[in-house]
Amino acid sequence: TASILTKFPGIVNGVSIVEIKDGAFYGCSAIEEIVVPETVKKIGDNTFMGCTSLKRVVLPGAITKIPNNAFIDCYNLQEVVVSDYLTEVGDMAFSNCKSLSSIELPDGVTTIGDSAFDTCYSLTSFKLPDSLTEIGEMAFSYCPIETFDTEGCSAFKFADGILSDKDETKIYRAASSMTGDVYIKDGVKEINGGAFSLCSGITNLFIPDSVESIGGYAFSECLQLKSVDFSEGLKTLGDGAFAYNLALEAVELPVSLETVGNGSFMVCQKLSKVIMQENLKTIGDNAFIGCTALKQVTIPKSVEKIGDNAFGMDFDEEGNQIRNSDFRMNVSAGSAGEKYAKNNNIEHDSSGVDLKKLAFIVICVGLLITAIVFAVVLMQRSKKSASRSAKKAHKEALEKEAEKNYKKIAGDDDADDDSDEEDEEDDSEESDNE
């Protein structure tokens, strides 16, 4: 690794080299050029990762896949010659190859993996193979590509500075020179990760209600972006979706949104107003870290999880995370927002009642009311029973007294006799009772 390697033999000690293992040339900073022998049929992941002096690579015809991370961080790589039998470019295969200005992929390639050409700052144009059917997440993020040649590639189209699928339901990449007001076409359902990253000339963005998800870093480093008009329909906002937008001043998230990803609005230094709606459930780690103009937020009761350092945090000159002392939160009692504020010693105002405590109080009050009602009913029944007995006895006594008086007034001797007999019978009954 201390010398410049242009070609190594395909046969060593009489044995043909058919595979280069994972990470075989990892970090070999002295290599400037390498020609892989024809005997090699496969190279492993991370094979040339971190070969910072590597400028030219020739891969043999037997290799059908450029594996994951194969040339990641090869900052000076300028030329890659691949075989006509290549079918796949793996995840992050050429990520951070800052000097790579062009690459010709043969017809036969069907897949370009996630972040395959991420941060290739010199890549300004790209021809899609006719056979291509799949482009991964953030495949061309942070690439200053102005044009995509899609002639012959039926699965994708490039029109009005936008690379999309043939039905225009998913946006993969926008020309970095896009400026002014940008209206996403109605019918688009998904904006791929990194699709508008480095589109620094966009000032106002309008997203239709057909869009359901915005991928990671989709609008990151749109340095002049001042406003975003979100329509209802958006459900997911990916990690870093609007990170490092230094001119963004206010955001009103739609009621349909359920997830704000990690770092979605990190280091939006002019962002002073954020409106979140009920139905939002998750706010990721570092979601609003570094938003120094944001002094106060209201967290909906619907939020179930708030990630680490999501609010009220900034960076010092050395990049360490520090707390903003003048930041406040409006939260609901017993909510995830209140828990976050307490755990991070953030000044906050709590409104409403803890639902668990409220439920306990309601149950206790209900039991008390039930007991009171039951006691009142028993008392009323007891009173009614006693009152009926007293009324009945009083009525019988009055009837008996009235009958005696009637007989006396009538002068009925027999009545007197009968009365005497009745009195005697009564006396006899009383004696018996005694």
Side-chain angles (χ1 to χ4, degrees):
T1 60
S3 61
I4 297 174
L5 177 63
T6 57
K7 185 175 181 179
F8 61 87
I11 299 176
V12 177
N13 296 327
V15 178
S16 296
I17 299 175
V18 296
E19 180 180 356
I20 299 176
K21 298 293 185 180
D22 295 356
F25 293 91
Y26 173 79
C28 295
S29 58
I31 299 175
E32 294 185 1
E33 181 177 0
I34 186 165
V35 178
V36 178
E38 292 292 334
T39 58
V40 175
K41 297 179 179 180
K42 181 181 179 181
I43 59 175
D45 295 344
N46 314 306
T47 303
F48 301 99
M49 181 178 182
C51 293
T52 54
S53 297
L54 186 62
K55 295 179 180 180
R56 183 174 183 269
V57 172
V58 179
L59 299 177
I63 293 178
T64 59
K65 178 183 178 179
I66 298 177
N68 300 338
N69 308 314
F71 297 96
I72 188 172
D73 295 338
C74 292
Y75 306 135
N76 289 295
L77 183 61
Q78 300 173 13
E79 182 182 1
V80 180
V81 179
V82 300
S83 80
D84 291 337
Y85 299 98
L86 190 69
T87 61
E88 182 178 352
V89 179
D91 297 344
M92 303 185 74
F94 295 96
S95 179
N96 212 21
C97 291
K98 299 178 181 180
S99 300
L100 185 64
S101 59
S102 66
I103 183 171
E104 185 175 347
L105 299 180
D107 291 336
V109 172
T110 60
T111 303
I112 295 177
D114 295 345
S115 302
F117 295 94
D118 171 50
T119 324
C120 288
Y121 290 140
S122 299
L123 203 59
T124 58
S125 63
F126 198 93
K127 184 182 187 306
L128 301 185
D130 294 352
S131 53
L132 188 67
T133 58
E134 182 179 349
I135 297 176
E137 190 77 8
M138 298 182 67
F140 300 101
S141 60
Y142 298 101
C143 293
I145 296 177
E146 292 300 318
T147 60
F148 285 91
D149 184 353
T150 59
E151 185 179 358
C153 183
S154 60
F156 303 94
K157 66 184 299 184
F158 182 69
D160 300 323
I162 300 287
L163 175 67
S164 66
D165 64 326
K166 64 179 181 179
D167 297 322
E168 296 185 284
T169 60
K170 183 174 182 178
I171 293 176
Y172 291 93
R173 179 65 210 181
S176 59
S177 59
M178 193 168 288
T179 60
D181 294 349
V182 172
Y183 293 81
I184 303 300
K185 185 177 291 188
D186 191 24
V188 173
K189 294 182 178 180
E190 182 179 354
I191 298 175
N192 201 30
F196 291 83
S197 56
L198 289 183
C199 291
S200 58
I202 298 176
T203 54
N204 299 290
L205 176 65
F206 300 86
I207 299 175
D209 56 13
S210 61
V211 174
E212 298 176 355
S213 66
I214 296 177
Y217 301 90
F219 294 93
S220 176
E221 296 190 42
C222 295
L223 301 180
Q224 297 184 50
L225 182 62
K226 294 181 179 179
S227 69
V228 182
D229 183 2
F230 292 103
S231 297
E232 302 303 329
L234 183 66
K235 295 181 179 180
T236 304
L237 199 58
D239 295 349
F242 290 89
Y244 302 101
N245 289 336
L246 305 182
L248 190 61
E249 297 174 350
V251 169
E252 182 174 354
L253 301 177
V255 70
S256 56
L257 186 65
E258 297 177 355
T259 302
V260 174
N262 299 334
S264 285
F265 294 93
M266 66 185 302
V267 196
C268 292
Q269 296 176 346
K270 290 188 177 181
L271 186 62
S272 60
K273 183 179 182 180
V274 175
I275 298 176
M276 292 171 280
Q277 314 284 354
E278 289 292 340
N279 193 51
L280 184 63
K281 292 180 173 59
T282 303
I283 301 172
D285 297 345
N286 305 310
F288 293 89
I289 193 171
C291 296
T292 53
L294 188 62
K295 303 300 182 183
Q296 183 171 327
V297 294
T298 298
I299 307 297
K301 291 186 294 184
S302 60
V303 173
E304 299 171 354
K305 180 181 179 181
I306 301 178
D308 295 340
N309 305 312
F311 297 99
M313 302 296 292
D314 195 10
F315 299 101
D316 62 16
E317 294 180 354
E318 297 178 353
N320 299 314
Q321 295 176 349
I322 57 174
R323 186 169 63 86
N324 289 337
S325 59
D326 57 349
F327 179 76
R328 295 183 64 85
M329 297 176 69
N330 298 317
V331 299
S332 298
S335 68
E338 184 181 57
K339 181 179 179 180
Y340 177 87
K342 288 181 177 179
N343 289 345
N344 292 277
N345 298 316
I346 293 174
E347 293 292 331
H348 62 281
D349 297 315
S350 298
S351 61
V353 179
D354 187 327
L355 294 180
K356 291 183 179 179
K357 293 181 179 178
L358 179 61
F360 178 75
I361 293 172
V362 168
I363 291 172
C364 291
V365 171
L367 291 173
L368 180 60
I369 292 174
T370 301
I372 293 173
V373 171
F374 183 70
V376 169
V377 169
L378 288 178
M379 292 174 64
Q380 288 179 342
R381 287 182 178 177
S382 178
K383 287 181 179 179
K384 287 180 179 180
S385 178
S387 177
R388 288 172 182 171
S389 298
K391 286 181 179 180
K392 183 177 180 181
H394 183 59
K395 180 180 179 183
E396 290 176 351
L398 290 174
E399 289 176 348
K400 190 173 184 179
E401 185 65 27
E403 185 178 355
K404 284 183 179 181
N405 290 338
Y406 174 77
K407 289 179 179 181
K408 288 180 180 180
I409 293 172
D412 189 346
D413 293 336
D414 293 338
D416 291 337
D417 293 340
D418 292 338
S419 176
D420 292 339
E421 290 176 3
E422 289 177 0
D423 291 337
E424 290 176 1
E425 289 176 1
D426 293 336
D427 292 338
S428 177
E429 289 176 3
E430 291 177 3
S431 177
D432 291 338
N433 291 335
E434 291 177 358

